[in-house]
Amino acid sequence: MGESGSAAERRLGVGFGIAAYGAWGLFPLYWPLLEPAGAGEILAHRMAWSLLAVLVLLALRRVPDGTTRWGWVRQIVRAPRKLALLAGAAVAISVNWFVYIWSVNHGHTVDTAFGYFINPLVTVLFGVFLLRERLRRLQWAAVGVGAVAVVVLALGYGKAPWIALVLAGSFGTYGLLKKLVAVPAAEAMAVESSLQFVPAVGYLVWLGAHGTLVFGQHAGNTALLMLAGPVTVLPLIAFGAAANRLPLSMVGLLQFLAPILQFLCGVLVQHEAVPPARLAGFLIVWAALVLLTVDALRAARRSGRGDLPGQSTSTSDSSSSMHDSTLTQASTSA
């Protein structure tokens, strides 16, 4: 491909990246539209319709020569460790989705934005304490500044910012498990959605039996609930297209678009209050992210490859796979 073709591909990649992270950042405007369905019913619909959407995606995508379309299913079924890790990932992302949906629909969108801002810092800590990765000085500084931000918010609230911590912790756990299982994003999501499907449908049946199921009562609301699957999967497609065309450093910078948009949705659209203590916490964590980004870009220039901001660098290969994991986990965020 010539230079002009490469530039065109990069511009296309940026467009796909903005579409993906923009969609995730605007999710706070979508979930309230599904009311009067509660967070539990919305979550169940997202799980159930996501399985259908990802299966359609897998059925329509091009299959490389020498492989079969569904051959990966047999490989995963025969690997109990991978199934267990994907089951753990399904639990982690279910917790993340439920807390996110509940928070957005109960006036806590700004708190969710803070959770996704500190997520790269949580991922770095997981790399240090669980994967034995080593941090550079700027990375340690970023983690320390991020910890100060959490303390400032806790003092401002009078309690721990549990929504942000649960979102960051569950999402970080999800990314860690996806790193360990090393299964491509779409296939992993299909397995996770399959594991979520039966409990989700069972819960919807239970709601129907008790006369509290919202689905089917109003055509518009029913259509929006069914769209929860495509709304989950379509940004994944755009994200994959971006990741294939851009260096990881650029994709890493684009990832901050989502929590920025979430923050703006909370403040400008949902009119959530941002008292001085909360604003101070955000300013401090943004400073931490600047440190993390500067460090990652410096490392990328030294090594001649793109590293994702928010990830640590180790002397082992686990660091690079952790980079890919964080990119992959973003496909099912929010």
Side-chain angles (χ1 to χ4, degrees), residues 14 17-18 21 117 120 239 246-260 289-297 300-301 306-310 327:
V14 170
I18 292 174
Y21 285 109
F117 273 125
F239 170 81
L246 297 175
L248 294 184
S249 57
M250 188 173 295
V251 177
L253 292 174
L254 286 173
Q255 76 173 328
F256 297 128
L257 175 63
I260 288 173
L289 294 177
V290 168
L291 291 174
L292 212 56
T293 301
V294 169
D295 177 83
L297 293 176
R301 284 196 296 268
D307 283 340
L308 176 63
L327 288 174

Side-chain angles (χ1 to χ4, degrees), residues 3-314:
E3 183 177 352
S4 60
S6 177
E9 282 292 295
R10 182 164 296 200
R11 286 195 297 270
L12 188 59
V14 170
F16 279 122
I18 292 174
Y21 285 109
W24 291 322
L26 295 176
F27 269 8
L29 303 181
Y30 173 70
W31 301 121
L33 298 177
L34 306 187
E35 294 180 329
E41 182 177 349
I42 294 172
L43 175 66
H45 281 290
R46 186 177 189 182
M47 292 174 172
W49 297 109
S50 289
L51 175 60
L52 176 61
V54 76
L55 289 178
V56 170
L57 168 65
L58 290 170
L60 295 178
R61 74 175 182 176
R62 183 180 302 174
V63 179
D65 294 336
T67 63
T68 59
R69 184 171 301 277
W70 305 104
W72 59 270
V73 176
R74 186 180 301 107
Q75 297 175 7
I76 293 180
V77 169
R78 292 178 177 177
R81 179 178 177 274
K82 287 190 174 184
L83 274 178
L85 290 171
L86 287 172
V91 172
I93 201 62
S94 297
V95 171
N96 183 276
W97 283 356
F98 176 79
V99 172
Y100 183 84
I101 294 169
W102 182 92
S103 302
V104 167
N105 287 2
H106 286 79
H108 297 285
T109 298
V110 171
D111 293 328
T112 68
F114 185 76
Y116 287 113
F117 273 125
I118 66 173
N119 179 70
L121 301 172
V122 172
T123 304
V124 165
L125 289 176
F126 280 5
V128 171
F129 292 108
L130 300 179
L131 301 180
R132 304 295 186 227
E133 296 177 358
R134 291 201 293 262
L135 297 189
R136 296 179 291 270
R137 282 178 294 181
L138 265 183
Q139 291 174 316
W140 276 119
V143 171
V145 172
V148 171
V150 173
V151 172
V152 169
L153 276 182
L155 293 175
Y157 279 108
K159 59 182 179 180
W162 69 269
I163 291 175
L165 294 175
V166 170
L167 287 175
S170 59
F171 200 47
T173 300
Y174 178 71
L176 175 66
L177 293 172
K178 295 289 284 289
K179 174 259 183 294
L180 295 174
V181 75
V183 172
E187 288 85 344
M189 188 176 180
V191 175
E192 294 160 21
S193 299
S194 298
L195 295 171
Q196 294 169 329
F197 184 79
V198 172
V201 172
Y203 180 69
L204 293 174
V205 171
W206 183 85
L207 288 177
H210 287 76
T212 56
L213 184 69
V214 174
F215 184 79
Q217 295 185 13
H218 305 284
N221 181 265
T222 298
L224 288 172
L225 286 169
M226 293 174 66
L227 282 174
V231 163
T232 297
V233 173
L234 288 177
L236 164 65
I237 300 174
F239 170 81
N244 288 336
R245 291 171 170 83
L246 297 175
L248 294 184
S249 57
M250 188 173 295
V251 177
L253 292 174
L254 286 173
Q255 76 173 328
F256 297 128
L257 175 63
I260 288 173
L261 288 175
Q262 291 168 5
F263 178 82
L264 293 176
C265 285
V267 173
L268 300 179
V269 179
Q270 298 171 336
H271 306 293
E272 294 183 19
V274 185
R278 188 181 300 187
L279 181 59
F282 269 91
L283 292 175
I284 294 171
V285 79
W286 289 336
L289 294 177
V290 168
L291 291 174
L292 212 56
T293 301
V294 169
D295 177 83
L297 293 176
R298 284 181 178 177
R301 284 196 296 268
R302 286 197 300 267
S303 62
R305 61 181 174 83
D307 283 340
L308 176 63
Q311 296 307 123
S312 56
T313 299
S314 171

